[in-house]
Amino acid sequence: MNIPIELINISSDFRAEPTDIGELALSIQQNGLINPITLKEVDGHYEIMAGRRRFRALRDYLEYKELVVGRHCIIYEKVDIHPLVIQFEENHKRKDFNPIELARLVKDIHEEKQQEHGTAYKGIKGGWSIKNTAALLSSEPTFITRLLKIAENEDLVKNCQTLHEALQTIERATNKTIVDTARKVRVAKTLEQIESLEIEDYISSLQNIDALTFLNEQTDETVDFIHIDPPFAIDIDEVAGSQSYDAYDDKPEEILPLVERVINECYRILKPNCFIVCWCANQYATWLQEAMKKAGFSVSPTLLYWVKTNCSGRSSDPNKRLGSIVEVAVYGWKGNDAELTIKGRGNVFPQPIPRTDRIHVAQKPEELLIDILNIFSLPGGIVLDCFSGSGSTLRACYKTKRQFRGCELSENHYNTSILKTIEWATKQSAA
């Protein structure tokens, strides 16, 4: 029995815009109509109970003039069920393949065809290729390739709820592999160059100028890690008590605007997907986090803590306030794909204060900075410090095979840090 197409009606369809009808038509043309359309006879005409998209593909794209009962359609005999109920059952309760199920299905189809026709090889005629599978399934070859990758990496996408999410996960993993390989090659080449550098080469990268002048000279996105330890804006000379250091001017009304401008410049200079660590006074940590966000950085809510293991704490008001043996730092990153070099590490860094030949009131130990460099940067990378102070970052870069760029405003600190660095390098060589 054949039913003329003009006798078939779509009485109601609650899909606002039926999608992918053209692709469905191609699939029907190549593979046949797998699921027949369900019709119900009403007063000499036929109402579609199930299969509205299939009917549109046959009528509008493939230009069928009639449907063959038993092949293209079946007649629904019951009259005690409303067609809208069938539409609800067909669409609402239908469960599509999840990404892994779809990938497995495509993989099985592809491998079955390869067994039947042989595997296609570039430059050799014959065999079954991904292009053949794509044509069979009315899809793009790149789409089939990605589905096959999903089938090969089920563990990677096992938590993905949609095909789009699974494909994005695979693509990110592929891109990460490429980036990691390129990074390893770049690091290896850079390390070959660094092996020949002497401590004098590092010292020559330290300038005796102010931070903003130094930063203005730097080219956009040329630095792999930024470590800065600016003045704390807390009148630290008063806190330091009787110890004698070079004058340390850190009035809040001068320092806070300076740090904000420095952070903005750091964002411009830092490469994408790289980190910045900035030390600050406890009371300015929240302010610094906001300043870094305003500059464009993504900022961790978790602070870094340097615990001074050989310090009992000092307070400017010991009657009311406990002494602090901790300094804090804010860290952030530029871009969406920054990745720590060492993962799973905590945010507390127990290290003693330098006691021997200390030249700066806020001096950090080299061991602390070595730890930080290893977590936030790769060997061979360029590290910037525009508040060099005692030169600890420079020496840490030398020891961990990073390149160094930096400056120090105080001429006294600049000269003393160079002398200390030469002495330190001499001891390192002797050891």
Side-chain angles (χ1 to χ4, degrees), residues 79-97:
V79 295
D80 58 347
I81 186 169
H82 197 281
L84 294 183
V85 175
I86 293 180
Q87 187 176 169
F88 175 83
E89 293 291 331
E90 182 185 27
N91 292 284
H92 175 66
K93 294 188 177 180
R94 181 178 62 193
K95 187 178 186 298
D96 291 333
F97 285 128

Side-chain angles (χ1 to χ4, degrees), residues 194-206:
I194 291 179
E195 289 292 344
S196 62
L197 295 180
E198 301 293 340
I199 193 64
E200 289 78 13
D201 297 308
Y202 282 80
I203 291 172
S204 66
S205 300
L206 177 63

Side-chain angles (χ1 to χ4, degrees), residues 6 20 104 155 184 198 220 244 276 295 315 376 415 422:
E6 61 268 15
D20 302 327
R104 287 174 180 171
D155 287 343
K184 288 178 182 178
E198 301 293 340
D220 293 0
S244 177
I276 177 173
S315 172
F376 292 100
N415 292 328
I422 293 173

Side-chain angles (χ1 to χ4, degrees), residues 136-188:
L136 178 66
L137 300 177
S138 302
S139 299
E140 292 292 327
T142 52
F143 179 69
I144 299 301
T145 299
R146 289 172 179 172
L147 285 175
L148 294 177
K149 285 184 178 179
I150 289 176
E152 294 169 2
N153 298 274
E154 290 189 9
D155 287 343
L156 195 63
V157 299
K158 61 184 178 182
N159 296 321
C160 295
Q161 300 301 314
T162 66
L163 183 60
H164 178 69
E165 183 184 358
L167 292 176
Q168 281 193 324
T169 301
I170 292 290
E171 188 169 353
R172 280 196 299 269
T174 302
N175 291 340
K176 184 179 183 304
T177 301
I178 294 171
V179 169
D180 286 347
T181 302
R183 182 183 293 169
K184 288 178 182 178
V185 172
R186 186 175 69 249
V187 168

